[in-house]
Amino acid sequence: PRGFRTPTRKIELFSEVLADHGYPPLPEIEEPRTSPRSRPDLAERFPLILTCAKSLWFCETQHRNVASLRSRVPDPQVELHPETALARGVAAGDWVRLETPHGSIRARARLNASLDPHVVCGQHGWWQACAELGLPGYPPFGPNSANLNLVLRQHPSDPISGSSPLRASVCNVAPLAMADVTPHVR
């Protein structure tokens, strides 16, 4: 038989399977479980929403050691709206500390006017050095890390799909003191 692997073999907007298991049969919008709205106790210290995206120049966490690719994006980046950056004393290219309730990492600020002013977009996968260009690697843990996974958690995951909350964590961004910019791994 042709079609999809659903009871009706058709695209099902109303899911009988979800309904049979006691879940809403239609998609619903739900506030993320760790957001400035759902966690007002965190909102003052972490007023921004962290999402993440993969750099199109690299393959997952690989190839930051390839000079032709690394020359395009030499440092870990965090994107933020120009107004958000200005309010925090951050200029394009500045080193910043991205902090969540689980820790902090460092990255260079990249301004992106198409982002909502409450959203910050980080990149994962920064650990490899690029010897050919003299560009550093970054430790997986500790104060000089650029490892976005270090500041994200698996929980609270979505109760139906089990997916990680990688697109909606609370965070804040601040300029990184110059004394904290130089240490890195080669």
Side-chain angles (χ1 to χ4, degrees):
R2 294 184 171 224
F4 297 91
R5 288 179 18 181
T6 63
T8 63
R9 312 285 307 156
K10 297 177 182 177
I11 294 175
E12 295 181 355
L13 300 179
F14 184 99
S15 173
E16 295 289 346
V17 173
L18 287 175
D20 290 345
H21 287 88
Y23 294 109
L26 292 170
E28 295 179 348
I29 295 173
E30 183 179 316
E31 182 70 22
R33 293 176 178 196
T34 307
S35 77
R37 285 188 190 135
S38 64
R39 292 292 308 270
D41 57 315
L42 297 175
E44 187 173 327
R45 185 168 175 204
F46 304 105
L48 302 173
I49 299 165
L50 174 62
T51 189
C52 57
K54 297 173 184 155
S55 171
L56 298 177
W57 293 106
F58 308 109
C59 180
E60 299 292 342
T61 65
Q62 304 174 77
H63 308 310
R64 282 162 179 83
N65 62 333
V66 178
S68 62
L69 300 177
R70 185 73 177 263
S71 65
R72 304 289 183 149
V73 185
D75 299 306
Q77 296 179 343
V78 61
E79 293 181 71
L80 56 161
H81 192 278
E83 292 172 10
T84 307
L86 182 64
R88 287 162 172 72
V90 172
D94 285 355
W95 281 100
V96 297
R97 180 152 314 282
L98 170 69
E99 186 178 15
T100 75
H102 308 293
S104 65
I105 61 166
R106 67 186 195 151
R108 285 206 187 262
R110 181 169 181 248
L111 305 187
N112 182 343
S114 67
L115 284 175
D116 181 284
H118 297 101
V119 173
V120 172
C121 185
Q123 296 176 352
H124 83 292
W126 284 92
W127 62 276
Q128 290 178 308
C130 182
E132 188 176 341
L133 297 177
L135 294 171
Y138 299 88
F141 304 102
N144 295 314
S145 181
N147 178 8
L148 190 64
N149 290 343
L150 183 64
V151 298
L152 297 172
R153 292 295 179 268
Q154 174 68 32
H155 296 288
S157 57
D158 180 75
I160 297 173
S161 69
S163 67
S164 299
L166 301 178
R167 303 282 189 260
S169 297
V170 292
C171 75
N172 205 357
V173 174
L176 191 60
M178 287 308 294
D180 295 329
V181 171
T182 53
H184 53 264
V185 177
R186 289 230 182 241

Coordinates of all heavy atoms in Angstrom, one line a residue, residues 91-164:
A91 N 30.0 45.7 20.9 CA 30.1 46.0 19.5 C 30.4 44.8 18.7 O 30.9 43.8 19.2 CB 31.2 47.1 19.3
A92 N 30.1 44.9 17.4 CA 30.4 43.7 16.5 C 31.9 43.3 16.6 O 32.8 44.2 16.6 CB 30.1 44.1 15.1
G93 N 32.1 42.1 16.8 CA 33.5 41.5 16.9 C 34.1 41.5 18.3 O 35.1 40.9 18.5
D94 N 33.4 42.1 19.3 CA 33.8 42.0 20.7 C 33.7 40.6 21.2 O 32.8 39.8 20.8 CB 33.0 42.9 21.6 CG 33.3 44.4 21.4 OD1 34.2 44.8 20.7 OD2 32.5 45.2 22.1
W95 N 34.6 40.2 22.1 CA 34.5 39.0 22.8 C 33.5 39.2 23.9 O 33.5 40.2 24.6 CB 35.8 38.5 23.4 CG 36.8 37.9 22.4 CD1 37.8 38.5 21.8 CD2 36.7 36.6 21.9 NE1 38.5 37.6 21.0 CE2 37.8 36.4 21.0 CE3 35.9 35.5 22.2 CZ2 38.1 35.2 20.4 CZ3 36.2 34.3 21.5 CH2 37.2 34.2 20.6
V96 N 32.6 38.2 24.0 CA 31.5 38.3 25.0 C 31.4 37.0 25.8 O 32.0 36.0 25.3 CB 30.1 38.6 24.4 CG1 30.1 39.9 23.7 CG2 29.7 37.5 23.4
R97 N 30.8 37.1 26.9 CA 30.5 35.9 27.7 C 29.0 35.7 27.6 O 28.2 36.5 27.9 CB 30.9 36.1 29.2 CG 30.6 34.9 30.0 CD 31.5 34.7 31.3 NE 32.9 34.9 31.1 CZ 33.8 34.0 30.6 NH1 33.3 32.9 30.1 NH2 35.1 34.3 30.5
L98 N 28.7 34.5 27.1 CA 27.3 34.0 27.1 C 27.1 33.2 28.3 O 27.8 32.2 28.5 CB 27.1 33.2 25.8 CG 25.8 32.5 25.7 CD1 24.6 33.5 25.5 CD2 25.8 31.5 24.5
E99 N 26.1 33.6 29.1 CA 25.9 32.9 30.4 C 24.5 32.3 30.4 O 23.5 33.0 30.0 CB 26.1 33.8 31.5 CG 26.0 33.2 32.9 CD 26.3 34.1 34.0 OE1 26.3 35.3 33.8 OE2 26.5 33.6 35.1
T100 N 24.3 31.1 30.9 CA 23.0 30.5 31.2 C 23.1 30.1 32.7 O 24.1 30.2 33.3 CB 22.7 29.3 30.4 OG1 23.5 28.2 30.8 CG2 23.0 29.5 28.9
P101 N 22.0 29.6 33.3 CA 22.0 29.1 34.6 C 23.0 27.9 34.8 O 23.4 27.6 35.9 CB 20.6 28.6 34.9 CG 19.8 29.4 34.0 CD 20.6 29.6 32.7
H102 N 23.5 27.3 33.7 CA 24.4 26.2 33.8 C 25.9 26.5 33.6 O 26.7 25.6 33.6 CB 24.0 25.1 32.8 CG 22.5 24.8 33.0 ND1 22.0 24.2 34.1 CD2 21.5 25.1 32.2 CE1 20.7 24.1 34.0 NE2 20.3 24.6 32.8
G103 N 26.2 27.8 33.4 CA 27.6 28.1 33.2 C 27.7 29.2 32.1 O 26.7 29.8 31.6
S104 N 29.0 29.4 31.6 CA 29.2 30.4 30.6 C 30.3 29.9 29.6 O 31.1 29.1 29.9 CB 29.6 31.7 31.3 OG 30.9 31.6 31.9
I105 N 30.2 30.5 28.5 CA 31.2 30.3 27.4 C 31.6 31.6 26.8 O 30.9 32.7 27.1 CB 30.7 29.4 26.3 CG1 29.4 30.0 25.6 CG2 30.4 28.0 26.9 CD1 29.0 29.3 24.3
R106 N 32.6 31.6 25.9 CA 33.0 32.9 25.3 C 32.8 32.7 23.8 O 32.9 31.6 23.2 CB 34.4 33.3 25.6 CG 35.4 32.3 25.1 CD 36.8 32.7 25.7 NE 37.8 32.0 24.9 CZ 39.0 32.5 24.7 NH1 39.4 33.6 25.2 NH2 39.9 31.8 24.1
A107 N 32.6 33.9 23.1 CA 32.4 33.9 21.7 C 32.5 35.4 21.2 O 32.5 36.3 22.1 CB 31.0 33.4 21.3
R108 N 32.7 35.6 19.9 CA 32.7 36.9 19.4 C 31.2 37.3 19.0 O 30.5 36.5 18.5 CB 33.5 37.0 18.1 CG 35.0 37.0 18.5 CD 35.8 37.7 17.4 NE 37.2 37.5 17.6 CZ 38.0 38.5 18.1 NH1 37.4 39.6 18.5 NH2 39.2 38.3 18.2
A109 N 30.9 38.6 19.3 CA 29.6 39.1 19.0 C 29.5 39.3 17.5 O 30.3 39.9 16.8 CB 29.4 40.4 19.7
R110 N 28.4 38.9 16.9 CA 28.0 39.1 15.5 C 26.6 39.7 15.6 O 25.7 39.1 16.1 CB 28.0 37.8 14.7 CG 27.7 38.1 13.3 CD 27.9 36.8 12.5 NE 27.6 37.0 11.1 CZ 26.6 36.5 10.4 NH1 25.9 35.6 11.0 NH2 26.4 36.8 9.2
L111 N 26.5 40.9 15.0 CA 25.2 41.6 15.1 C 24.3 41.2 13.9 O 24.8 41.0 12.8 CB 25.4 43.1 15.0 CG 26.4 43.7 16.1 CD1 26.4 45.2 16.1 CD2 26.0 43.1 17.5
N112 N 23.1 41.0 14.2 CA 22.1 40.5 13.2 C 20.8 41.1 13.5 O 20.0 40.8 14.4 CB 22.0 38.9 13.4 CG 21.0 38.3 12.3 OD1 20.2 39.0 11.7 ND2 21.1 37.0 12.2
A113 N 20.4 42.1 12.7 CA 19.2 42.9 12.8 C 17.9 42.1 12.6 O 16.9 42.5 12.9 CB 19.2 44.1 12.0
S114 N 18.1 40.9 12.0 CA 16.9 40.1 11.7 C 16.4 39.3 12.9 O 15.4 38.7 12.9 CB 17.1 39.2 10.5 OG 18.1 38.3 10.8
L115 N 17.3 39.2 13.9 CA 16.9 38.5 15.2 C 16.0 39.4 16.0 O 16.0 40.6 16.0 CB 18.1 38.2 16.0 CG 19.0 37.1 15.6 CD1 20.2 37.0 16.5 CD2 18.3 35.8 15.6
D116 N 15.1 38.8 16.7 CA 14.3 39.5 17.7 C 15.3 40.0 18.8 O 16.2 39.3 19.1 CB 13.3 38.5 18.3 CG 12.4 39.2 19.3 OD1 12.9 39.4 20.5 OD2 11.2 39.4 19.0
P117 N 15.0 41.2 19.3 CA 16.0 41.7 20.3 C 16.1 40.9 21.6 O 17.0 41.1 22.3 CB 15.4 43.1 20.6 CG 14.6 43.5 19.4 CD 14.1 42.2 18.8
H118 N 15.2 40.0 21.8 CA 15.2 39.2 23.0 C 15.9 37.8 22.7 O 16.0 37.0 23.6 CB 13.8 38.9 23.5 CG 13.1 40.2 24.0 ND1 12.2 40.8 23.2 CD2 13.3 40.9 25.1 CE1 11.8 41.9 23.8 NE2 12.4 42.0 24.9
V119 N 16.3 37.6 21.5 CA 16.9 36.3 21.1 C 18.4 36.4 20.8 O 18.9 37.4 20.2 CB 16.2 35.7 19.9 CG1 16.9 34.5 19.4 CG2 14.7 35.4 20.2
V120 N 19.1 35.4 21.3 CA 20.6 35.3 21.0 C 20.8 33.9 20.4 O 20.2 33.0 20.7 CB 21.4 35.3 22.4 CG1 22.8 35.0 22.2 CG2 21.2 36.7 23.0
C121 N 21.6 33.9 19.4 CA 21.9 32.6 18.6 C 23.3 32.2 18.7 O 24.2 32.9 18.3 CB 21.5 32.8 17.2 SG 21.6 31.3 16.2
G122 N 23.6 31.1 19.4 CA 24.9 30.6 19.5 C 25.2 29.4 18.6 O 24.3 28.9 17.9
Q123 N 26.5 29.1 18.5 CA 27.0 28.0 17.6 C 27.7 27.0 18.5 O 28.4 27.3 19.4 CB 28.0 28.5 16.6 CG 27.5 29.5 15.6 CD 28.7 30.0 14.7 OE1 29.8 29.7 15.0 NE2 28.3 30.8 13.7
H124 N 27.4 25.7 18.1 CA 28.1 24.6 18.8 C 29.3 24.2 18.0 O 29.5 24.6 16.8 CB 27.2 23.5 19.1 CG 27.0 22.5 17.9 ND1 26.4 22.9 16.8 CD2 27.4 21.3 17.8 CE1 26.4 21.9 15.9 NE2 27.0 20.9 16.5
G125 N 30.2 23.4 18.6 CA 31.2 22.7 17.9 C 32.6 23.3 17.9 O 33.5 22.9 17.2
W126 N 32.8 24.3 18.7 CA 34.1 25.0 18.8 C 35.1 24.3 19.7 O 35.0 24.5 20.9 CB 33.9 26.5 19.1 CG 33.4 27.2 17.9 CD1 32.1 27.4 17.6 CD2 34.1 27.8 16.9 NE1 32.0 28.1 16.5 CE2 33.2 28.3 16.0 CE3 35.5 27.8 16.6 CZ2 33.6 29.0 14.8 CZ3 35.9 28.5 15.4 CH2 35.0 29.0 14.6
W127 N 36.0 23.6 19.1 CA 37.1 23.0 20.0 C 38.4 22.9 19.2 O 39.5 23.0 19.8 CB 36.7 21.6 20.5 CG 36.4 20.6 19.4 CD1 35.2 20.5 18.7 CD2 37.3 19.6 18.9 NE1 35.3 19.5 17.8 CE2 36.6 18.9 17.9 CE3 38.6 19.3 19.2 CZ2 37.1 17.9 17.2 CZ3 39.1 18.2 18.5 CH2 38.4 17.6 17.5
Q128 N 38.4 22.7 17.9 CA 39.6 22.4 17.1 C 40.4 23.7 16.9 O 39.8 24.7 16.6 CB 39.3 21.8 15.8 CG 38.8 20.4 15.8 CD 38.4 19.9 14.5 OE1 37.7 20.5 13.7 NE2 39.0 18.7 14.1
A129 N 41.7 23.6 16.9 CA 42.6 24.6 16.5 C 42.9 24.5 15.0 O 42.6 23.5 14.4 CB 44.0 24.5 17.3
C130 N 43.4 25.6 14.5 CA 43.7 25.6 13.1 C 45.2 26.1 13.0 O 45.4 27.3 12.9 CB 42.8 26.5 12.2 SG 43.2 26.5 10.5
A131 N 46.1 25.2 13.1 CA 47.5 25.5 13.1 C 48.0 26.3 11.9 O 48.8 27.3 12.1 CB 48.4 24.2 13.2
E132 N 47.5 26.0 10.7 CA 47.9 26.7 9.5 C 47.6 28.2 9.6 O 48.4 29.0 9.1 CB 47.1 26.1 8.3 CG 47.6 26.6 7.0 CD 47.0 25.9 5.8 OE1 46.4 24.8 6.0 OE2 47.0 26.4 4.7
L133 N 46.5 28.6 10.3 CA 46.2 30.0 10.4 C 46.6 30.6 11.8 O 46.4 31.7 12.0 CB 44.7 30.2 10.2 CG 44.2 29.9 8.8 CD1 42.6 30.1 8.8 CD2 44.8 30.7 7.7
G134 N 47.1 29.7 12.6 CA 47.5 30.2 14.0 C 46.3 30.5 14.8 O 46.4 31.3 15.8
L135 N 45.2 29.8 14.6 CA 44.0 30.1 15.3 C 43.8 29.0 16.4 O 44.0 27.8 16.1 CB 42.7 30.2 14.4 CG 42.7 31.3 13.4 CD1 41.6 31.2 12.4 CD2 42.6 32.6 14.2
P136 N 43.3 29.4 17.6 CA 43.2 28.5 18.7 C 42.1 27.5 18.6 O 41.1 27.7 18.0 CB 43.0 29.4 19.9 CG 42.2 30.6 19.3 CD 42.8 30.8 17.9
G137 N 42.3 26.5 19.4 CA 41.2 25.6 19.8 C 40.7 26.0 21.1 O 41.2 27.0 21.7
Y138 N 39.6 25.4 21.6 CA 39.0 25.8 22.9 C 38.8 24.6 23.7 O 38.4 23.6 23.2 CB 37.7 26.6 22.6 CG 38.0 27.8 21.8 CD1 37.9 27.8 20.4 CD2 38.2 29.0 22.4 CE1 38.2 28.9 19.7 CE2 38.5 30.2 21.7 CZ 38.5 30.1 20.3 OH 38.7 31.3 19.6
P139 N 39.0 24.7 25.1 CA 38.8 23.6 25.9 C 37.3 23.2 26.0 O 36.5 24.1 25.9 CB 39.3 24.1 27.3 CG 39.3 25.5 27.2 CD 39.5 25.9 25.8
P140 N 37.0 21.9 26.2 CA 35.6 21.6 26.3 C 34.9 22.0 27.6 O 33.7 22.1 27.6 CB 35.6 20.0 26.2 CG 37.0 19.7 26.6 CD 37.9 20.8 26.3
F141 N 35.7 22.3 28.6 CA 35.1 22.7 29.9 C 35.9 23.9 30.4 O 37.1 24.1 30.0 CB 35.2 21.6 30.9 CG 34.5 20.3 30.4 CD1 35.3 19.3 30.0 CD2 33.1 20.2 30.5 CE1 34.6 18.1 29.5 CE2 32.5 19.1 30.0 CZ 33.3 18.0 29.6
G142 N 35.4 24.6 31.3 CA 36.1 25.7 32.0 C 35.8 27.1 31.5 O 35.1 27.3 30.5
P143 N 36.5 28.1 32.1 CA 36.2 29.5 31.8 C 36.5 29.9 30.4 O 36.0 30.9 29.9 CB 37.0 30.2 32.9 CG 38.1 29.3 33.2 CD 37.5 27.9 33.1
N144 N 37.4 29.2 29.7 CA 37.8 29.6 28.4 C 37.1 28.8 27.3 O 37.5 28.9 26.1 CB 39.3 29.6 28.2 CG 40.0 30.6 29.1 OD1 39.6 31.7 29.2 ND2 41.0 30.1 29.8
S145 N 36.1 28.0 27.7 CA 35.4 27.2 26.7 C 34.5 28.0 25.8 O 34.1 29.1 26.1 CB 34.6 26.2 27.5 OG 33.9 25.3 26.5
A146 N 34.4 27.5 24.6 CA 33.4 28.0 23.6 C 32.4 27.0 23.3 O 31.7 27.1 22.3 CB 34.2 28.5 22.3
N147 N 32.3 25.9 24.1 CA 31.4 24.8 23.9 C 30.0 25.1 24.3 O 29.7 25.1 25.5 CB 32.0 23.6 24.7 CG 31.2 22.4 24.7 OD1 30.2 22.3 23.9 ND2 31.5 21.4 25.5
L148 N 29.1 25.4 23.4 CA 27.8 25.7 23.6 C 27.0 24.6 24.4 O 26.2 24.9 25.3 CB 27.0 26.1 22.4 CG 25.6 26.7 22.5 CD1 25.7 28.0 23.2 CD2 24.9 26.8 21.2
N149 N 27.4 23.4 24.1 CA 26.8 22.3 24.8 C 27.0 22.3 26.4 O 26.3 21.8 27.1 CB 27.2 20.9 24.3 CG 26.7 20.7 22.9 OD1 25.7 21.3 22.5 ND2 27.3 19.8 22.2
L150 N 28.1 23.0 26.7 CA 28.4 23.1 28.1 C 27.4 23.9 28.9 O 27.2 23.6 30.1 CB 29.8 23.8 28.3 CG 30.4 24.0 29.6 CD1 30.7 22.7 30.3 CD2 31.6 24.9 29.5
V151 N 26.7 24.8 28.3 CA 25.7 25.6 29.0 C 24.2 25.3 28.7 O 23.3 26.0 29.1 CB 25.9 27.1 28.7 CG1 27.3 27.5 29.2 CG2 25.8 27.5 27.2
L152 N 24.0 24.2 28.0 CA 22.7 23.7 27.7 C 22.4 22.4 28.4 O 23.4 21.7 28.8 CB 22.5 23.4 26.2 CG 22.7 24.7 25.3 CD1 22.7 24.3 23.8 CD2 21.6 25.7 25.6
R153 N 21.2 22.0 28.6 CA 20.8 20.8 29.3 C 19.8 20.0 28.5 O 19.1 20.5 27.7 CB 20.3 21.1 30.7 CG 21.3 21.6 31.6 CD 22.4 20.6 31.9 NE 23.4 21.1 32.8 CZ 24.5 21.7 32.5 NH1 24.8 21.9 31.2 NH2 25.4 22.0 33.4
Q154 N 19.8 18.7 28.7 CA 18.8 17.8 28.1 C 17.4 18.0 28.6 O 16.4 17.9 28.0 CB 19.2 16.3 28.3 CG 18.2 15.3 27.8 CD 18.1 15.3 26.3 OE1 19.1 15.5 25.6 NE2 16.9 15.0 25.8
H155 N 17.3 18.5 29.9 CA 16.0 18.6 30.5 C 15.8 20.1 30.9 O 16.7 20.8 31.1 CB 16.0 17.8 31.8 CG 16.1 16.4 31.6 ND1 15.1 15.6 31.0 CD2 17.1 15.5 31.7 CE1 15.5 14.4 30.9 NE2 16.7 14.3 31.3
P156 N 14.6 20.6 30.9 CA 13.3 19.8 30.7 C 13.1 19.5 29.2 O 12.9 20.4 28.4 CB 12.3 20.7 31.3 CG 12.8 22.1 31.1 CD 14.3 22.0 31.2
S157 N 13.0 18.3 28.9 CA 12.8 17.9 27.5 C 11.3 17.9 27.2 O 10.4 17.8 28.1 CB 13.4 16.5 27.2 OG 12.9 15.5 28.0
D158 N 10.9 17.8 25.9 CA 9.5 17.8 25.5 C 8.9 16.5 26.0 O 9.4 15.4 25.7 CB 9.4 17.9 24.0 CG 7.9 17.9 23.6 OD1 7.2 18.9 23.8 OD2 7.5 16.9 23.0
P159 N 7.8 16.5 26.7 CA 7.2 15.3 27.3 C 6.7 14.3 26.2 O 6.5 13.1 26.4 CB 6.0 15.7 28.2 CG 5.7 17.1 27.6 CD 7.0 17.7 27.1
I160 N 6.3 14.8 25.0 CA 5.8 13.9 24.0 C 7.0 13.4 23.1 O 7.1 12.2 22.9 CB 4.8 14.6 23.1 CG1 3.6 15.0 24.0 CG2 4.3 13.7 21.9 CD1 2.5 15.8 23.3
S161 N 7.8 14.3 22.6 CA 8.8 13.8 21.6 C 10.1 13.5 22.3 O 11.0 12.8 21.7 CB 9.1 14.9 20.6 OG 9.7 16.1 21.2
G162 N 10.3 14.0 23.5 CA 11.6 13.8 24.2 C 12.7 14.7 23.7 O 13.9 14.6 24.1
S163 N 12.4 15.6 22.8 CA 13.5 16.5 22.2 C 14.0 17.4 23.2 O 13.4 17.9 24.1 CB 12.9 17.2 21.0 OG 12.0 18.2 21.4
S164 N 15.3 17.7 23.0 CA 16.0 18.6 23.9 C 15.6 20.1 23.7 O 15.3 20.5 22.6 CB 17.5 18.5 23.7 OG 18.0 17.2 23.9

